[in-house]
Amino acid sequence: MKLSALLTSAGINIALCVVLLLLYSVLRRQPGNVNVYFGRRLAEEHRRRQDSSALDRLVPSPSWILKAWEYTESDILSIAGLDAVVFLRIVVFSIRIFSIAAAICIFGVLPLNYFGQEMRHRNIPSESLDVFTIANVMQGSKWLWVHCLALYIISVSACILLYFVSFFQHVTPFQFVITFLLYHCKTAISLHYWICPNPSHFSVLVRAIPSSTGEPFSDSVRSFFTKYHSLDYLSHQMIYRTGKVQKLLNNAEAVYKKVVNMKDITIQKGCVPHRLRCGLCGGPSGSFQLYHNELDLEMKNSSLNDIDPCIKEKECAAAFVFFRTRYAAIVASKVLQTSNPMIWVTDLAPEPVDVYWSNLWLPYRQLWIRRIATLLAAIVFMFLFLIPVAFVQGLSQLEQLQKMLPFLKGILKKTPVSQLITGYLPSVILMLFLYLVPPTMMFFSAIEGPISRSGRKTSACCKVLYFTIWNVFFVNVLSGSVISQVNTISSPKTIPMQLAKAVPRQATFFITYVLTSGWASLSSEVMQLFPLIYSLVRRHVFRCKSDDPDGVLSFPYHTEVPKLLLFGLLGLTCSILAPLIIPFLLVYFCLGFVVYRNQILNVYCSKYETGGKMWPIVHNTTVFSLVLAQIIALGVFGLKDSPIASGFTIPLVILTLLFNEYCRQRFAPVFDSLSAQDVIEMDRHDEENGRMEEIHEQLQSAYCQFPLRMASICDHEGDESSKNGGPGESSSPTALEITKSQPAAATAAAAANPTVRRFSISRLHRAVASLSTLIAIQNRNALR
Amino acid sequence: MKLSALLTSAGINIALCVVLLLLYSVLRRQPGNVNVYFGRRLAEEHRRRQDSSALDRLVPSPSWILKAWEYTESDILSIAGLDAVVFLRIVVFSIRIFSIAAAICIFGVLPLNYFGQEMRHRNIPSESLDVFTIANVMQGSKWLWVHCLALYIISVSACILLYFVSFFQHVTPFQFVITFLLYHCKTAISLHYWICPNPSHFSVLVRAIPSSTGEPFSDSVRSFFTKYHSLDYLSHQMIYRTGKVQKLLNNAEAVYKKVVNMKDITIQKGCVPHRLRCGLCGGPSGSFQLYHNELDLEMKNSSLNDIDPCIKEKECAAAFVFFRTRYAAIVASKVLQTSNPMIWVTDLAPEPVDVYWSNLWLPYRQLWIRRIATLLAAIVFMFLFLIPVAFVQGLSQLEQLQKMLPFLKGILKKTPVSQLITGYLPSVILMLFLYLVPPTMMFFSAIEGPISRSGRKTSACCKVLYFTIWNVFFVNVLSGSVISQVNTISSPKTIPMQLAKAVPRQATFFITYVLTSGWASLSSEVMQLFPLIYSLVRRHVFRCKSDDPDGVLSFPYHTEVPKLLLFGLLGLTCSILAPLIIPFLLVYFCLGFVVYRNQILNVYCSKYETGGKMWPIVHNTTVFSLVLAQIIALGVFGLKDSPIASGFTIPLVILTLLFNEYCRQRFAPVFDSLSAQDVIEMDRHDEENGRMEEIHEQLQSAYCQFPLRMASICDHEGDESSKNGGPGESSSPTALEITKSQPAAATAAAAANPTVRRFSISRLHRAVASLSTLIAIQNRNALR
């Protein structure tokens, strides 16, 4: 591939980006798109933005960038939570490290590579890209120490940055929050998440409650905890599971809900039959209305007596146990309860909105099998994915492709076509295939049985990350040789050498990958293509209300974090081998910083927190990338017959691994749980303020399997899954399914609160009614 | 190697064993050896056994075997602790599994192997051993399903046995003990270890106490724990470290002790110059006496004022913190104390006798580096050991050796010599080299920085195990091919095939290894050769008092457990390939059962407990052996062109791994810590009995860095290390060094108790005096 092809590709992408960003700056100011581009704000502020003049709305401007810049980190912490701060810190970290790498590699390494061999240089645009890689350096060159030095500087600065980010990561937010908590409690309303006593800090999820004959689970829990944690035990709340009948009812309820929703849409505007109501068919909507009226009629007649007697509360062997203090909850979650670790399993409870209800009643004994099964499934999926990747890889090596498919020769000879195919098509195809991955991994992670939605997202994040690194980096690198020789992975000794041969050769592909996948994904992220189209269709085809303040998505960390880390890996491994990649990466990260800031501030809502659990993944991956880069460099120096450079690289590998081990010791435990000191301080503060009683009261109703309360969240989650859009996501049990599946349980849970109970029963009742009505209508239709 | 050679080897070993066992049955009844063969009893009962008549003493008899049989498991638990029970259960487990394997393989697999190919069989003794292995089965034989079935039966029965041993392992002793504790508290004096409230259950070792300017560590500890654990914190005890001056003093004290000891020996019998006093030189002992008198004189003149003012208490950043209840201690040890995991590090304290004092003042920040460094050192040591192993391996392949060293041809042609060399010599050489390993590994484990001596032993046990399996099994198997072809390990795909080719070929070596290393090590174990010689030399050459009730060794689990596991590995991997090994193994384990029972009951003293931590090692190793056996079988079936047998083996491997994962979930946490339920029950029981006050009082003096109290233990440990005898052991900081190194600290620790204080100061004083005396004598001698 020549520099001109690369520049073509870059040109296409830059143009595309600019067009999309300008389009965004226009679209965001259209009042109709406010729920697409300002979802979070809309949800929070519950008011429409002021309309600007029509002309203003159509002039592209970069003002949104400036607006995104205005916010400080603590603003973001208060608006979007810890996860958003961590995510932005990942971006800043990448910008810093690649700025250093750019300075060193562009001015130090690139000239060395370019003038590495004595040759007549053509004019630069028509130069092959290989001239800019380390492949152009002479065998046994004395200048390889510059590469080695560059590697040292990059590694050391990466480690230092990593350490300080880790350090401030866990010191700043926590300490900051606690200081805040203690001294400025009343002043910071926005620090809601941290300052308001979090019910999850007082609660422990107990699973695998042993079943003793006759005694209900609830009594077992009460007797166990009053016996062994008598001082701190406050109360508990059982978790209920649904049977077959309930599931049927829930489905019916879902149908009912949809129909009611339809009624809202149709009847809202004085029930005038509107020609555009259903833009696709344009038919009259009388039948819908009829059905609805029938439903209404039936519902009025039905009474509580209709409820099937077999709809009973069905306790399962899990419960939330509430403690008087945060410390007691942490203690109960950390200590082994009985001498059989498979019963009375305690974990700190997730936050109420974060609970993954449908996984809570999974038998605890199943979980380890589920974990192994999903691991195997994910691995199989990774290997099945080799097929499209191998195809893509073939495209970037035109000569090979021409040999294999000779009929393409005619087309491929035309320069622009060949440049387009080598420079652009492979990445686009790969990117399209990669869209399938996150939903699939999310599905696997849901099956695994996490108790929280944030846990599911973190687990999916890891899976997507491994998948991406394996399929984008390793397979592309190794399959470069696979087409010519099959047996590359068979001998472990030669892997560094193989990598050293293949990585510089594949560097051009990686550069185009950064251009297409990276830049394009950022512009499509800021454009919010899918939600935009969805919103347009909703508004103009189905004539829905344009405002849906509940339909705010949560940030897709499980797709964005692996993306950032993959580009970090590509950058670090290619930095000294093919420094041309770094400017493109730097542009990507800078653009990413602005775009993600904007998205976090305006579009996404933080519904649940992982508590910064993304950071250990980032830390480990960065160290892995560094070590991989060093091993590849070792191989390259070996190939280039430079024993000194190889010799100096080995201690660097060892030092990097030692650094990682130190960080594991120093930082890893903090991400697992809060410390005794912190929680005791919080407890004391609440006690001194006399807020404990209030907190204990709130605890009783914090966790609720009751659907009404969750309904609003379900709707978002539903939207979110429709955005993620893959086949996996739709079959994963999202919150929608969860909440739908436990109305009966919810009645029990809400038994303490009469209002809630009434609500729940009437809801159940409605569901039964709707089911019977639907069946009646079906039968009537069948008879006609 | 022919069957006759094997039988020669077996004959030699059987004869040797019988002779040694008979010799043992005579020697154990000699009154002079009572401290060698009845060390534990002597130490416990503090009385001499009744002498039997002279004739009785000289008639060999197997009565000791019967005596060893008499004891029940609960007797052994009460006499020798949980570790001994676990160890004997490992032996019983091995006997059971190999009985099943013997039944199947001898009657099912062996005939198949023998008649596997159509050939004229010679008479059985002159048959080559290869005829009895799977190598003799025809290519593509239809009978290989029998091997596969045998593998299934062995694997399944091993897993079932493993599960039930694991199950009763942790259920029986703990539950048993707790039941005992609750209901029969007064009746079982011998269950001392379990029933007497163990101070370690109430104590937590705190390390990495942060140093605040000006404030001593002790105040930091008090303020931290009164602040955050105010309800349960009882008191604490600092740990002291010694400076240079103290070390000098301690060395002086050691010299002083030796000289005083010498005086005891010489002056004891009325100070008559005895010709045999020093059996080696027979010279007059006047000079010793003179020195001693001088010492005595000097000591009388010295007074407390001589003590160097720089001998100050030097607190280090570690302390034992005592809590009011066991539960509080467990909680404090499990919960992260502050948001910096590198300060206020808490662990459950080891038992007082188990504390490894000299490691307690290691800076906590160093430990991870120490762990990595010792790991690397152990790996390097493992690879350096390849040299003698390769040599040994060469000996068992005579033809190869003859090619390499042609001048040996003449000697090697003689049948008995060749049989001796192939059948006996390799194992003996290997065994001698292996004697170096445990002390070295013990040394590495000590450097690692464990806080308890049992922790050091467990860690050494793992290291010795990996070492043994690598060097005896893998290197022998793989170096069989190394002599002919170097590049075996380079490709991972071919490893099963390589193993499948090599293991049956090396099976004969393993059989002889069982004979020599196994049987011989048991007879030398029961004979206690080193202690016997040491005792003889001590009594007859140095004329020491023959009775030394303190010099009882503790059981060398770190050498014996890996030995058992190695034989288990050999048995499982060879069982269906070369079934001839099983009878020999079965004899080994049965003999081992009697011998170890006898040794545990009579010879060794259990000074500290690991709490059954040996069992997880055994469990994992057994599963590893099973999977290895299955993989090798897979390779063999592949080589023999039997796709059905290979196909059926793959699910077996998967099932075994799943079983292991289940057991890890089910049993692993129990070995880490006691459960809340158990400790709360214990606490309640003590509270109801009103014993808590008493326990709290005892706690104050339980942990004591004070040397006098430890002196008796030091002496054993010294003996033990001299028995282990390697160069590593002597340089490892044993208890002798520990206690010697902290007299100053001890004074501080004992400050509360005036008697103790007086003792300690006088001891210190004596040490200083002896130092100055010695220097004076040296100077005087130099001037002469």
Side-chain angles (χ1 to χ4, degrees), chain A residues 212-258:
Chain A
S212 52
T213 47
E215 200 185 24
F217 285 123
S218 180
D219 293 353
S220 303
V221 174
R222 190 176 300 112
S223 66
F224 184 85
F225 281 93
T226 42
K227 192 167 180 192
Y228 296 113
H229 301 270
S230 49
L231 283 177
D232 301 309
Y233 167 72
L234 190 70
S235 67
H236 70 275
Q237 175 185 327
M238 295 307 297
I239 289 156
Y240 299 91
R241 68 174 294 184
T242 51
K244 291 270 171 200
V245 179
Q246 274 93 335
K247 272 192 184 163
L248 210 66
L249 282 173
N250 302 329
N251 291 341
E253 195 191 24
V255 173
Y256 166 79
K257 221 167 112 185
K258 274 186 192 160

Side-chain angles (χ1 to χ4, degrees), chain A residues 326-586:
Chain A
R326 294 172 181 87
Y327 181 64
I330 284 200
V331 165
S333 73
K334 287 277 164 193
V335 173
L336 185 69
Q337 294 299 320
T338 68
S339 55
N340 180 353
M342 301 291 270
I343 57 174
W344 295 111
V345 181
T346 49
D347 292 289
L348 261 194
E351 284 175 66
V353 287
D354 193 17
V355 178
Y356 200 133
W357 291 98
S358 68
N359 270 353
L360 295 189
W361 48 259
L362 291 178
Y364 184 76
R365 283 172 177 272
Q366 271 185 20
L367 290 186
W368 66 278
I369 296 190
R370 278 170 175 262
R371 235 169 273 140
I372 293 170
T374 48
L375 183 72
L376 291 180
I379 291 171
V380 168
F381 181 71
M382 260 167 74
F383 280 92
L384 284 183
F385 209 81
L386 284 183
I387 302 157
V389 172
F391 174 70
V392 166
Q393 205 281 334
L395 283 183
S396 72
Q397 298 197 326
L398 268 191
E399 303 79 30
Q400 304 246 355
L401 199 71
Q402 281 176 353
K403 266 186 227 160
M404 285 162 68
L405 306 167
F407 59 88
L408 286 177
K409 226 169 213 170
I411 309 167
L412 293 179
K413 265 186 187 155
K414 291 170 190 161
T415 325
V417 173
S418 116
Q419 280 182 1
L420 197 73
I421 287 179
T422 56
Y424 204 72
L425 206 59
S427 324
V428 170
I429 293 175
L430 193 61
M431 217 173 70
L432 286 179
F433 271 105
L434 283 176
Y435 267 115
L436 286 177
V437 176
T440 317
M441 293 306 183
M442 205 71 169
F443 171 63
F444 286 147
S445 295
I447 288 179
E448 227 175 38
I451 55 171
S452 65
R453 296 197 280 158
S454 66
R456 179 182 61 156
K457 211 163 222 179
T458 316
S459 163
C461 178
C462 281
K463 288 197 183 72
V464 174
L465 176 68
Y466 298 145
F467 180 91
T468 321
I469 289 180
W470 169 249
N471 269 305
V472 177
F473 185 79
F474 283 100
V475 171
N476 270 295
V477 163
L478 297 176
S479 70
S481 345
V482 167
I483 287 184
S484 41
Q485 65 193 66
V486 182
N487 230 6
T488 35
I489 323 173
S490 60
S491 77
K493 265 190 214 163
T494 55
I495 280 182
M497 287 296 173
Q498 289 284 352
L499 285 175
K501 274 183 211 160
V503 171
R505 213 190 298 158
Q506 287 290 316
T508 54
F509 169 73
F510 291 139
I511 295 174
T512 59
Y513 186 79
V514 172
L515 284 175
T516 50
S517 179
W519 295 11
S521 76
L522 281 182
S523 18
S524 85
E525 171 65 42
V526 80
M527 277 293 289
Q528 293 283 307
L529 274 181
F530 289 114
L532 186 67
I533 294 166
Y534 176 74
S535 151
L536 286 176
V537 169
R538 214 174 126 89
R539 273 191 298 151
H540 295 291
V541 182
F542 289 108
R543 293 271 159 197
C544 290
K545 283 185 292 178
S546 64
D547 243 27
D548 182 10
D550 290 337
V552 187
L553 308 175
S554 74
F555 195 86
Y557 293 109
H558 65 298
T559 62
E560 303 308 307
V561 173
K563 219 176 266 171
L564 287 182
L565 291 175
L566 173 72
F567 289 122
L569 174 79
L570 294 183
L572 288 175
T573 47
C574 295
S575 57
I576 63 156
L577 308 180
L580 266 191
I581 200 172
I582 296 180
F584 297 103
L585 269 179
L586 212 49

Side-chain angles (χ1 to χ4, degrees), chain A residues 170 227-229 327 336-341 365 487 490 492-493 662 666 670 675-677 680-681 684, chain B residues 170 227-229 327 336-341 365 487 490 492-493 662 666 670 675-677 680-681 684:
Chain A
H170 93 272
K227 192 167 180 192
Y228 296 113
H229 301 270
Y327 181 64
L336 185 69
Q337 294 299 320
T338 68
S339 55
N340 180 353
R365 283 172 177 272
N487 230 6
S490 60
K493 265 190 214 163
Y662 173 74
R666 173 69 183 78
V670 180
S675 69
Q677 198 178 22
I680 290 173
E681 296 284 0
R684 291 220 177 119
Chain B
H170 93 268
K227 191 167 180 195
Y228 296 112
H229 301 269
Y327 181 64
L336 185 70
Q337 295 298 322
T338 69
S339 55
N340 179 353
R365 284 172 176 273
N487 229 6
S490 60
K493 265 190 211 162
Y662 174 72
R666 174 68 182 78
V670 180
S675 69
Q677 198 177 23
I680 290 173
E681 296 283 359
R684 292 221 175 120

Side-chain angles (χ1 to χ4, degrees), chain A residues 27-45:
Chain A
L27 282 176
R28 73 196 290 272
R29 278 182 289 175
Q30 309 307 315
N33 296 332
V34 88
N35 64 327
V36 176
Y37 294 122
F38 296 95
R40 192 197 65 76
R41 291 207 174 182
L42 217 60
E44 197 175 82
E45 295 164 19

